[in-house]
Amino acid sequence: MKLAGKVALVTGAQQGIGAAIAVALAEAGADVAVNWLDDEKAATAVVAKVEAAGRRALAVRADVAKLPDIERMVADTVRDLGAPDILVNNAGVYPRVPLLEMRESDWDIVLDVNLKAGCFATIAMAKALLAGGKKSGAVINLSSAAIRGAVRGVHYSASKGGVVSMTRALALELAPHNIRVNAIAPSLTDTAQPRYGNSDAELIEMARATIPLGGRMLTPEQIAGSAVFLASDDADAITGQVLHVNGGAYMP
């Protein structure tokens, strides 16, 4: 198993892409801490799937927009599972807001969850990993095809563009510690997130119009497979990169 003996922490793992990544990491051999915020039942279901894969699991509630919660989340993971070798900064929000109606609070919550949280979770994870005497680690950030710009999403696009630049800078800072940092940029994916403000019919039409490969939305499991690769030794020479998993919707 590619990740046997590893400990992973996945933020925003109660549903969607985060849940799929948590399960995929477990199926590859990792023990997994499942971060959740507001749906304990869903998080418990993800924990059950991790355990069904024969791995240890922990559900840890934390609001990743708050630094004390981030530090406690990592500390709880260390206490129950061990220092995390793998961190997936998946938690994200996308409250769609027309530009001329945007408030400061709209901007702040998106940047706090989508960008700030990933930075400070990485800091906490790296400190725990080094204190635990581990020799290597992997951080995977979730960016988005929205880095090219999105209507009703200036704050979201700014946050995800920031994730790309942050990924590169973190990769340089942490390379001396043999901690790799990469990002995955998914396109339209079949989760609850794109349904906020869009009908299913609109989503299907968007997929047909923008995703050349298959003309359909991606599945969370397709994103999860890429995360397993980046977390594994198969990617041990890859850092500071953005892997676009989008069916050809965006070709940088």
Side-chain angles (χ1 to χ4, degrees), residues 56 68 123 132 135 185 203 251:
R56 296 182 300 156
I123 292 170
K135 303 301 183 183
L203 290 174
M251 301 183 185

Side-chain angles (χ1 to χ4, degrees), residues 15 62 134 159 189 224:
Q15 63 182 0
K134 294 190 173 182
S159 72
T189 306

Side-chain angles (χ1 to χ4, degrees), residues 145 184-189 218-219 222-223 226-227 242-248:
I184 298 173
S187 186
L188 188 65
T189 306
L218 279 70
T219 68
Q222 287 174 308
I223 311 304
S226 299
V242 180
L243 179 58
H244 291 270
V245 185
N246 60 29

Side-chain angles (χ1 to χ4, degrees), residues 140-177:
I140 301 165
N141 298 320
L142 267 292
S143 181
S144 168
I147 57 174
R148 63 182 174 176
V151 175
R152 295 183 295 153
V154 168
H155 50 351
Y156 182 78
S157 298
S159 72
K160 293 303 186 179
V163 167
V164 171
S165 295
M166 181 179 73
T167 295
R168 293 167 179 157
L170 289 172
L172 291 171
E173 289 271 1
L174 294 175
H177 304 293

Side-chain angles (χ1 to χ4, degrees), residues 7-231:
V7 175
L9 168 59
V10 184
T11 69
Q14 68 188 37
Q15 63 182 0
I17 292 173
I21 290 175
V23 173
L25 293 174
E27 291 173 344
D31 299 324
V32 184
V34 175
N35 163 243
W36 64 281
L37 176 62
D38 55 9
D39 192 339
E40 185 174 12
K41 183 178 179 181
T44 300
V46 177
V47 164
K49 291 179 180 178
V50 171
E51 292 175 338
R55 308 312 309 165
R56 296 182 300 156
L58 169 69
V60 54
R61 185 180 186 278
D63 180 350
V64 295
K66 300 176 180 177
L67 181 55
D69 276 27
I70 289 172
E71 293 175 338
R72 179 180 50 78
M73 173 180 69
V74 173
D76 288 351
T77 301
V78 172
R79 182 195 65 219
D80 288 10
L81 301 179
D85 309 88
I86 301 161
L87 170 66
V88 182
N89 287 310
N90 166 79
V93 293
Y94 188 176
R96 289 165 176 78
V97 181
L99 176 63
L100 299 185
E101 298 175 15
M102 187 177 296
R103 303 164 298 178
E104 183 180 13
S105 58
D106 296 320
W107 176 274
D108 287 348
I109 186 60
V110 171
L111 271 290
D112 281 352
V113 175
N114 294 3
L115 187 58
K116 182 182 79 173
C119 179
F120 285 95
T122 299
I123 292 170
M125 172 266 198
K127 287 180 176 179
L129 184 149
L130 295 172
K134 294 190 173 182
K135 303 301 183 183
S136 64
V139 177
I140 301 165
N141 298 320
L142 267 292
S143 181
S144 168
I147 57 174
R148 63 182 174 176
V151 175
R152 295 183 295 153
V154 168
H155 50 351
Y156 182 78
S157 298
S159 72
K160 293 303 186 179
V163 167
V164 171
S165 295
M166 181 179 73
T167 295
R168 293 167 179 157
L170 289 172
L172 291 171
E173 289 271 1
L174 294 175
H177 304 293
N178 204 27
I179 299 173
R180 297 179 294 104
V181 186
N182 292 290
I184 298 173
S187 186
L188 188 65
T189 306
D190 192 4
T191 66
Q193 190 255 60
R195 290 182 164 82
Y196 299 142
N198 294 301
S199 69
D200 280 350
E202 288 171 327
L203 290 174
I204 291 170
E205 186 55 37
M206 278 192 284
R208 286 176 178 167
T210 63
I211 301 178
L213 191 61
R216 60 181 180 272
M217 288 187 285
L218 279 70
T219 68
E221 289 72 24
Q222 287 174 308
I223 311 304
S226 299
V228 171
F229 165 67
L230 289 174

